[in-house]
Amino acid sequence: MENNELELGEEEVSIVTFTDENGEDCNFEYLDCIEYEGKEYIVLTPAEEDAAEIIILEIQPVDEENENYVSVDDEKTLDAVYRIFQDRFKDIYTFGD
């Protein structure tokens, strides 16, 4: 994973790059990090697309310097983390239900 910051006007955007299983780089805009039930989750959106897709991954520490990002299969957890994200950013984003 690589982390770059871009400055757009007064707004700073953090871009996270993951390499998929085919060796291709995928860029995502970092939106937030949320703690829920003792675990941390990273909230991202695709950087190259105009789609309003939100991606939530669980952060699993490997050691002091490395961590894994794992997809979340539990719908209850995804919904809870997404609701926290919505509440934090209700004044910035418009959410469609």
Side-chain angles (χ1 to χ4, degrees), residues 78-97:
L78 282 172
D79 289 342
V81 172
Y82 184 66
R83 280 193 304 275
I84 294 167
F85 175 75
Q86 282 181 309
D87 188 52
R88 286 185 183 178
F89 290 89
K90 65 184 174 221
D91 296 332
I92 298 171
Y93 298 114
T94 302
F95 297 96
D97 291 323

Side-chain angles (χ1 to χ4, degrees), residues 10-66:
E10 294 180 19
E11 184 179 334
E12 196 172 279
V13 177
S14 185
I15 301 296
V16 179
T17 303
F18 291 104
T19 303
D20 68 15
E21 62 273 357
N22 299 321
E24 295 185 34
D25 287 345
C26 303
N27 294 319
F28 296 91
E29 180 182 342
Y30 169 87
L31 300 176
D32 200 7
C33 184
I34 296 172
E35 187 172 328
Y36 175 72
E37 292 189 347
K39 296 181 180 180
E40 284 188 305
Y41 298 88
I42 188 170
V43 182
L44 309 164
T45 190
E48 288 90 18
E49 300 176 21
D50 290 332
E53 181 181 4
I54 298 291
I55 298 164
I56 298 171
L57 300 173
E58 181 182 337
I59 301 171
Q60 295 181 341
V62 175
D63 56 37
E64 289 185 24
E65 295 180 14
N66 298 299

